[in-house]
Amino acid sequence: MSCPVVYWEHTANAVKSSGPLGAGLVQLAHLHTSPNSQAPVPALPEKGGKTRHGIIPEELFQILYPKTGVTGPYVLGAGLLTYILSKEIYIINHETFAAACMGTVIIYGVRKFGPDVAAFADKLNEEKVQKAQEVKDLAMTSLAQAIQDEKKEQWRAEGRQMLFDAKRNNVAMLLETNRRERVHMVTNDVKKRLDYQIALQTLHRRMEQEHMVNWVEKNVVTSITPQQEKASIAKCITDLKVLAKVQQAKTTA
């Protein structure tokens, strides 16, 4: 706002320096840029004010009533007409009668056909206003629907953000599931390999034990002579007989 003010100040100083005419132009510029000149223009009334005899405003009678009474305006009109005719300010001629005839015809036409023409014009005006109102209502309805659609789209956009978050969470869960499945698969493979190594070591140990047992048994069998075998058999028979006697003594007792 400072730039226009500086511009107008420089312009005003330049015009003032040009003389009286410049000062008058400056005053005229201030008059046109005053706050009153920028005030909104009042709306025109749809219907005119009350009149008497078709052309005389009612306000004129209301102004003269306190000073002249009820007959004052008519006396004033008659006096003015008499003054104009007596001083020959207006001279009656053939044009006066023609104007009177034309005025009479116009007044008769207005009085006779004025209400019908006014009703027809009002009807046309109401139809135009109704059509304009319908267009306005349709525009308002379409704009209201557009606003509702925009709000719905904004709501959907917010829901879309929530949907994207849910999809991100689902993708993260899928990745975590895949990672755990791979870890489980690796764990099972490692366990299988470890079980294989344990089974292999157990097999080697069992085979070594069997080989050792067979080797010891074979060496023991080969180290026993026929005479030792006969003596051990005789010893076993003797032991069996002793055991039989002991068992028989227990049963008889």
Side-chain angles (χ1 to χ4, degrees), residues 5-253:
V5 172
V6 173
Y7 173 76
W8 280 110
E9 288 180 356
H10 284 294
T11 305
N13 292 329
V15 174
K16 283 181 180 179
S17 62
S18 62
L21 180 60
L25 292 175
V26 169
Q27 294 296 329
L28 184 61
H30 282 295
L31 179 62
H32 283 288
T33 57
S34 63
N36 293 330
S37 65
Q38 298 176 359
V41 179
L44 295 177
E46 295 184 0
K47 296 181 180 181
K50 294 182 179 181
T51 59
R52 293 191 183 184
H53 308 291
I55 58 174
I56 303 175
E58 179 67 22
E59 289 79 1
L60 180 60
F61 292 88
Q62 297 298 330
I63 292 173
L64 295 176
Y65 277 166
K67 297 181 179 180
T68 61
V70 177
T71 60
Y74 300 100
V75 173
L76 177 62
L80 288 175
L81 180 60
T82 304
Y83 176 77
I84 291 172
L85 293 176
S86 64
K87 294 297 183 180
E88 294 184 355
I89 297 174
Y90 180 80
I91 300 173
I92 297 175
N93 52 18
H94 63 282
E95 293 179 353
T96 303
F97 296 103
C101 294
M102 292 177 62
T104 303
V105 173
I106 291 172
I107 293 172
Y108 176 77
V110 170
R111 293 292 182 88
K112 180 68 174 178
F113 305 105
D116 297 335
V117 174
F120 178 73
D122 291 339
K123 184 178 179 181
L124 292 178
N125 190 19
E126 289 178 358
E127 290 178 356
K128 291 181 181 180
V129 172
Q130 185 178 1
K131 289 181 181 179
Q133 186 66 30
E134 290 177 356
V135 173
K136 179 182 177 181
D137 294 339
L138 182 61
M140 292 292 290
T141 303
S142 61
L143 291 175
Q145 185 63 33
I147 292 172
Q148 294 296 329
D149 295 339
E150 181 63 23
K151 290 182 179 179
K152 186 179 292 184
E153 291 298 328
Q154 293 178 1
W155 175 75
R156 288 179 178 175
E158 294 176 358
R160 192 179 298 116
Q161 186 66 30
M162 297 174 62
L163 180 61
F164 288 161
D165 294 338
K167 287 185 176 181
R168 292 191 190 95
N169 294 331
N170 291 335
V171 171
M173 292 176 64
L174 289 175
L175 292 175
E176 182 66 19
T177 303
N178 291 332
R179 187 186 69 81
R180 293 190 179 187
E181 287 180 353
R182 291 177 181 178
V183 170
H184 183 67
M185 182 176 63
V186 171
T187 303
N188 289 335
D189 291 340
V190 173
K191 183 176 180 299
K192 288 179 181 179
R193 291 184 182 183
L194 293 175
D195 292 341
Y196 172 75
Q197 294 294 331
I198 293 172
L200 183 61
Q201 291 177 5
T202 304
L203 178 61
H204 287 169
R205 191 180 299 108
R206 185 169 58 80
M207 291 181 66
E208 289 175 356
Q209 290 176 357
E210 289 180 356
H211 178 70
M212 181 64 69
V213 169
N214 292 331
W215 180 76
V216 170
E217 184 179 356
K218 183 178 179 182
N219 289 332
V220 170
V221 171
T222 54
S223 63
I224 297 174
T225 59
Q227 190 174 10
Q228 289 178 348
E229 184 176 359
K230 290 179 180 180
S232 86
I233 291 171
K235 183 71 168 73
C236 289
I237 292 171
T238 303
D239 292 337
L240 290 173
K241 288 180 179 181
V242 172
L243 290 174
K245 288 180 180 180
V246 172
Q247 187 67 26
Q248 187 176 3
K250 288 181 179 181
T251 55
T252 54

